[in-house]
Amino acid sequence: MTAIEPEPTEFEEELEVESEPVAVDSKAARRARRRAMVRPAGVAEAVVEAVPLLAEPRTRKVLFSASAAAAGHLVLWSVTGDPLYGVGLMASATVSVPQMTATAITVGAAVAGWKAVTLVHLHRLPGFLGILARPAGAIAAAMWGQGTAPVVRDVLASAEPWGSLLSPLLAVAPTTAACWFLLERRAAQSSTLVRWLARVPLATVIASALLYAPGVVL
């Protein structure tokens, strides 16, 4: 004996009508896709799909640094009115390379003199001799290092054209070290925009050195 199923009530029929899937409007879907493409992430994905070369990590790193250097030079250009203002600064810094190198040698010699007196235990001498031993050793070594600027100049002149190529790199070494230590290193774990902004000074200095060095040889 088969059971007779009850007919659905009017309320149940309304629920079935409301639960039917609604067709997605194609225009609304296209608008949603266009809005997603306008977002930064969507634009980046679209660019990578259009240019497959950008998917390579090396290419992205090169473009990252090149765009930072270009932005730095554009800022210098807008402020000074000279598109090669960074190259001019590099020329001024390169002239002072012998003096800068002599200063670094002087500081290093002073530290070495202090350590040398400690190694031979002269600081253990009795009385004022022991107290003045390490300062006297540091001062004597620093006075020697102070007169090394002509030697550095002669070495660079004898190594031409390599001396002219190395001088800009020697001039930017302290600046690049400071940019990396103060900005680049601290922004390593930040967002892409913050890392790019931290790269601008470092990339600008390096680009100025690379633009100036070939001109000296030519």
Side-chain angles (χ1 to χ4, degrees):
M1 187 173 179
T2 59
I4 300 174
E5 296 181 358
E7 296 182 358
T9 62
E10 183 177 356
F11 178 74
E12 292 175 347
E13 291 179 354
E14 291 178 358
L15 288 178
E16 290 178 359
V17 171
E18 292 178 358
S19 63
E20 291 180 357
V22 179
V24 179
D25 184 10
S26 59
K27 293 183 179 180
R30 287 196 296 269
R31 285 196 297 269
R33 285 195 297 270
R34 285 195 295 268
R35 284 196 298 268
M37 292 294 293
V38 172
R39 296 174 182 174
V43 173
E45 293 176 359
V47 172
V48 171
E49 291 179 0
V51 185
L53 186 63
L54 296 179
E56 298 182 5
R58 292 182 180 179
T59 305
R60 291 201 298 269
K61 290 180 180 179
V62 171
L63 291 177
F64 187 82
S65 298
S67 61
H73 281 282
L74 284 176
V75 171
L76 291 177
W77 187 4
S78 62
V79 172
T80 63
D82 184 4
L84 298 178
Y85 183 76
V87 179
L89 288 178
M90 191 57 53
S92 302
T94 303
V95 174
S96 61
V97 164
Q99 288 76 17
M100 293 171 58
T101 307
T103 301
I105 294 175
T106 300
V107 174
V111 174
W114 184 284
K115 295 291 184 180
V117 171
T118 304
L119 288 175
V120 297
H121 304 291
L122 292 179
H123 63 291
R124 295 182 179 178
L125 292 173
F128 284 102
L129 292 178
I131 296 174
L132 298 176
R134 284 185 290 194
I139 293 173
M143 292 178 65
W144 170 84
Q146 213 173 16
T148 56
V151 178
V152 175
R153 187 181 298 108
D154 293 339
V155 170
L156 292 175
S158 63
E160 291 295 342
W162 298 105
S164 298
L165 288 172
L166 292 176
S167 293
L169 300 180
L170 294 175
V172 303
T175 307
T176 53
C179 290
W180 177 83
F181 184 79
L182 297 175
L183 299 174
E184 188 88 7
R185 185 177 63 90
R186 298 185 179 184
Q189 304 300 327
S190 302
S191 62
T192 303
L193 179 60
V194 174
R195 288 189 290 109
W196 183 83
L197 291 174
R199 180 68 60 85
V200 169
L202 179 62
T204 303
V205 172
I206 294 176
S208 299
L210 294 177
L211 289 173
Y212 174 74
V216 175
V217 178
L218 297 177

